[in-house]
Amino acid sequence: HLDAASIAHKRRIELGHPAETIVRCAEEEHCDLIVLAEPKPGAVREWLMRNAGIAVASAASVLVHFAGVPVVIAK
């Protein structure tokens, strides 16, 4: 989709904690914006939220707090 819209981008594969890795890569690439999709919560996360009242932070929610650039989260 990015190619079709003529939006500059670079594919990169990294290993590590998702939020920390995304922030590090964004800094290394001098990104102006981070865009990512937040998937539906898995069965365990959904059960914890519904039955135990426990919210587990997703990579997207952590990024919002630690990224040095704006973060857009698509659902």
Side-chain angles (χ1 to χ4, degrees):
H1 293 297
L2 296 174
D3 288 331
S6 298
I7 296 174
H9 63 283
K10 179 179 179 181
R11 294 179 183 178
R12 185 170 169 171
I13 298 173
E14 296 281 335
L15 298 175
H17 183 273
E20 292 172 4
T21 304
I22 293 169
V23 168
R24 180 178 51 77
C25 290
E27 290 171 354
E28 290 173 1
E29 298 289 340
H30 305 287
C31 294
D32 297 322
L33 175 70
I34 298 172
V35 179
L36 71 151
E38 183 170 44
K40 291 181 182 180
V44 172
R45 179 179 284 174
E46 193 169 319
W47 184 89
L48 286 171
M49 288 188 298
R50 190 172 357 132
N51 297 309
I54 298 172
V56 179
S58 66
S61 63
V62 173
L63 273 174
V64 169
H65 294 288
F66 294 107
V69 295
V71 178
V72 174
I73 302 169
K75 291 195 175 212

